[in-house]
Amino acid sequence: MEFVRSHGYPVPEIFEVSDDGTDLVMERIGGPTMVDAGAARPWNLSRFGRQLAELHQAVHRLPAPAWVADAPCGSGDRLLHLDLHPLNVLMAPGGPVVIDWPNAVRGDPAVDVALTWVLIASGEVPAGRAKAAVLGLGRKLLLDAFLKPVLDDDCRAILGDVVEWKCTDPNMSATEIERMRALARSVGN
């Protein structure tokens, strides 16, 4: 986080790190997650999607430091967050701030974009049928606005590998795994 912060990327300031590196004290950021802000003001979902794309583009401009591990698929030398989705973006008064960096790796930006695409498109919506339909429409607005500036042939080509890697995550439900695989099939992977 200090590395990206030193390059002007919006993350909380780190004040203290424990000797073993497992605990840290950081700046408290006020504001809802992008998901909560979108639920409260759905007319902003397209703008939030564009902001999410801009956050991806900004981090992908940074070369990955030598001490960062390689991505689980693909290859490249850019810094990837590898969990940069609307739940990890706080909508602070001064602009969006990205949190949750333990998955950061070195690789091809298409991997990062494909993973965010998969997570947004496949995540379960915990709600009744009517609310799920409304939230599904909101998800489509956000996702379309996110993908428009960042989706390219490289992202489409790596999607199947990203899906297969993400399907090994024990935190993914059977429904989410089927949705991820359906997305990959729909793109031709």
Side-chain angles (χ1 to χ4, degrees), residues 77-107:
D77 65 352
R78 301 287 93 188
L79 186 62
L80 313 181
H81 183 280
L82 216 56
D83 204 19
L84 184 45
H85 55 74
L87 286 171
N88 285 333
V89 178
L90 299 177
M91 303 306 287
V97 176
V98 178
I99 60 170
D100 199 15
W101 285 84
N103 297 328
V105 293
R106 170 189 311 101

Side-chain angles (χ1 to χ4, degrees), residues 114-167:
L115 180 58
T116 298
W117 179 11
V118 165
L119 293 173
I120 293 172
S122 305
E124 290 194 48
V125 177
R129 261 201 266 181
K131 189 172 182 182
V134 171
L135 293 174
L137 177 60
R139 179 189 342 222
K140 181 173 177 7
L141 289 171
L142 179 92
L143 189 56
D144 288 350
F146 166 68
L147 289 174
K148 186 173 182 179
V150 294
L151 183 61
D152 60 18
D153 290 341
D154 292 342
C155 185
R156 287 182 187 90
I158 198 82
L159 183 67
D161 292 340
V162 169
V163 165
E164 287 313 306
W165 164 70
K166 194 60 181 170
C167 285

Side-chain angles (χ1 to χ4, degrees), residues 3-4 7 62-70 77-80 105-106:
F3 173 79
V4 294
H7 287 82
L62 300 177
W67 43 265
V68 176
D70 289 330
D77 65 352
R78 301 287 93 188
L79 186 62
L80 313 181
V105 293
R106 170 189 311 101

